[in-house]
Amino acid sequence: MDISNINWLAVVVSTVAYFALGAIWYGPLFGKAWQRGVGLSDEELKKANMGKLFGSALILSFVVSFGMAMFFYGFGENPDMDATMGGMMGLMTGLFFIIPSTALNYNFARKGVGLIMIDSLYHTIAFTIIGVILGVWK
């Protein structure tokens, strides 16, 4: 593994993009539907430690962005990597790993298709965006 090929600014921007998408996705776009899907009341949400939740979300967004950068560049230079290739790799990760894995777990948890799609499409879109950013900034 060689992290010298990684553009750290791209990893940081990818992290912020992932986190920001989550704020929009689980806020105005699908916040109430997600809340119903997971069975949380407004009161329960208000009791949450938001610093801990958002802090851990930011750290985990960084881990994903760094992990994708490792796959793209950690095994040596990748001259074929560009925005299209990065976006396709992110999208394929979502379609073939995130969506099926989420569906597998949520089926056993008796969660509905709506929640599966809210959660898995968020990550699929985020991985695609991360792939584009990392592909552009070699």
Side-chain angles (χ1 to χ4, degrees):
M1 293 280 176
D2 180 11
I3 63 171
S4 66
N5 294 318
I6 293 175
N7 182 330
W8 290 99
L9 181 58
V11 171
V12 170
V13 170
S14 296
T15 300
V16 172
Y18 196 176
F19 188 80
L21 177 64
I24 295 165
W25 194 266
Y26 291 103
L29 289 181
F30 301 107
K32 289 297 181 185
W34 174 84
Q35 187 178 340
R36 282 189 306 275
V38 296
L40 287 174
S41 68
D42 288 337
E43 293 75 32
E44 289 172 305
L45 287 178
K46 289 177 186 174
K47 292 178 186 176
N49 181 338
M50 292 305 193
K52 183 178 178 181
L53 288 174
F54 288 119
S56 63
L58 189 62
I59 290 167
L60 294 168
S61 296
F62 175 81
V63 170
V64 170
S65 296
F66 173 69
M68 285 186 70
M70 285 297 296
F71 280 129
F72 287 10
Y73 305 110
F75 301 101
E77 289 187 33
N78 191 347
D80 296 328
M81 185 58 65
D82 61 10
T84 302
M85 177 69 77
M88 286 302 295
M89 291 175 78
L91 178 62
M92 294 299 114
T93 300
L95 293 177
F96 295 111
F97 297 98
I98 299 297
I99 294 172
S101 297
T102 302
L104 185 97
N105 287 348
Y106 284 20
N107 284 338
F108 281 97
R110 307 295 195 276
K111 300 297 181 182
V113 172
L115 185 61
I116 293 169
M117 297 315 292
I118 289 170
D119 284 345
S120 59
L121 287 177
Y122 159 64
H123 294 290
T124 299
I125 292 168
F127 279 37
T128 303
I129 292 168
I130 293 168
V132 168
I133 292 169
L134 294 173
V136 167
W137 274 344
K138 293 182 181 184

